[in-house]
Amino acid sequence: EPEVTQTPSHQVTQMGQEVILRCVPISNHLYFYWYRQILGQKVEFLVSFYNNEISEKSEIFDDQFSVERPDGSNFTLKIRSTKLEDSAMYFCASSGPRDMVGRSGNTIYFGEGSWLTVV
Amino acid sequence: QKEVEQDPGPLSVPEGAIVSLNCTYSNSAFQYFMWYRQYSRKGPELLMYTYSSGNKEDGRFTAQVDKSSKYISLFIRDSQPSDSATYLCAMSFNSGGYQKVTFGTGTKLQVIP
């Protein structure tokens, strides 16, 4: 069954460095998302992306963040200059339309996450 | 008032017990209601999805939605140690095609053998 895949699973970076997190959404899905979960806290929405444009972004998603779909399969999240408080699990997700294995277009499916540690 | 409220637990039950997990919400715009299971340092795994009031059953899991009371529940029958995880309720509405999802804080469940 197709899944959302993310790389890397874990990255340690120094404060101020740029980080790119990569995702391959489920084939045929059209909407892509990034969420963040700081250790011990709730899953928080960062950004949604459709038709090569940001659909919506949260207040967390400031100018340090950007998203891109550089080709037909990858979806990336870039953090330009990382801060200590960016340490978190970052989840990519995708949704809709109803895909080849019949999953609903009305809910989103998550990858396993990329654990980012900023030191 | 938070949009979605969920008791963080932890909830500890003996193997074989029936587990009841609950969330309340305040936003009447929510159309779809999900339960995700999350193991430590892993991504949320979709367990149940429903969009109408009533019950939906899948194996040992039953999701219940009461839109009039803005209350959703997940019941786990015959709980197993492998059910030990954090359970996230999530609610969404369709916003121009994409899903705007709001999560609860998650309830940590431990099933003791």
Side-chain angles (χ1 to χ4, degrees), chain A residues 6-77:
Chain A
Q6 291 186 240
T7 54
S9 57
H10 189 193
Q11 182 162 352
V12 181
T13 189
Q14 288 200 326
M15 193 168 54
Q17 294 297 303
E18 176 182 284
V19 161
I20 297 176
L21 305 178
R22 292 181 168 80
C23 168
V24 179
I26 293 171
S27 178
N28 294 334
H29 277 186
L30 301 176
Y31 304 97
F32 314 113
Y33 313 82
W34 284 100
Y35 284 77
R36 180 181 82 175
Q37 186 177 33
I38 294 171
L39 189 62
Q41 298 187 23
K42 66 186 291 185
V43 177
E44 299 175 295
F45 169 75
L46 289 178
V47 65
S48 59
F49 190 86
Y50 169 70
N51 198 26
N52 283 320
E53 289 184 345
I54 290 174
S55 306
E56 185 172 347
K57 59 183 180 180
S58 72
E59 58 187 22
I60 302 169
F61 193 88
D62 61 22
D63 292 344
Q64 294 298 317
F65 292 89
S66 63
V67 289
E68 193 178 34
R69 188 154 160 83
D71 53 43
S73 59
N74 291 287
F75 179 51
T76 62
L77 174 70

Side-chain angles (χ1 to χ4, degrees), chain A residues 31 33 35 37 39 41-45 48 50 55-56 89 91 95 104-113 115, chain B residues 2 4 32 34 36 38 41-46 49 88 92 94-106:
Chain A
Y31 304 97
Y33 313 82
Y35 284 77
Q37 186 177 33
L39 189 62
Q41 298 187 23
K42 66 186 291 185
V43 177
E44 299 175 295
F45 169 75
S48 59
Y50 169 70
S55 306
E56 185 172 347
M89 279 283 268
F91 296 109
S95 71
S104 168
N106 293 319
T107 191
I108 65 175
Y109 297 88
F110 287 84
E112 285 296 315
W115 182 251
Chain B
K2 292 180 183 177
V4 178
Y32 309 105
M34 290 79 71
Y36 289 86
Q38 187 178 28
R41 299 203 176 192
K42 295 289 187 182
E45 173 195 6
L46 181 66
Y49 156 76
L88 308 172
S92 72
N94 193 311
S95 179
Y98 76 93
Q99 292 301 311
K100 191 166 170 62
V101 181
T102 302
F103 284 86
T105 52

Side-chain angles (χ1 to χ4, degrees), chain B residues 19-22 35 47-48 61-63 72-76 87:
Chain B
V19 175
S20 173
L21 304 167
N22 311 294
W35 286 94
L47 278 179
M48 300 286 287
F61 299 91
T62 300
I72 70 170
S73 299
L74 178 70
F75 299 98
I76 307 173
Y87 290 80

Side-chain angles (χ1 to χ4, degrees), chain B residues 33-75:
Chain B
F33 305 91
M34 290 79 71
W35 286 94
Y36 289 86
R37 178 173 61 196
Q38 187 178 28
Y39 293 111
S40 181
R41 299 203 176 192
K42 295 289 187 182
E45 173 195 6
L46 181 66
L47 278 179
M48 300 286 287
Y49 156 76
T50 186
Y51 55 87
S52 59
S53 283
N55 293 350
K56 181 177 181 179
E57 192 173 314
D58 184 1
R60 295 185 295 112
F61 299 91
T62 300
Q64 189 175 79
V65 174
D66 182 345
K67 287 188 177 181
S68 62
S69 301
K70 296 190 177 65
Y71 187 90
I72 70 170
S73 299
L74 178 70
F75 299 98

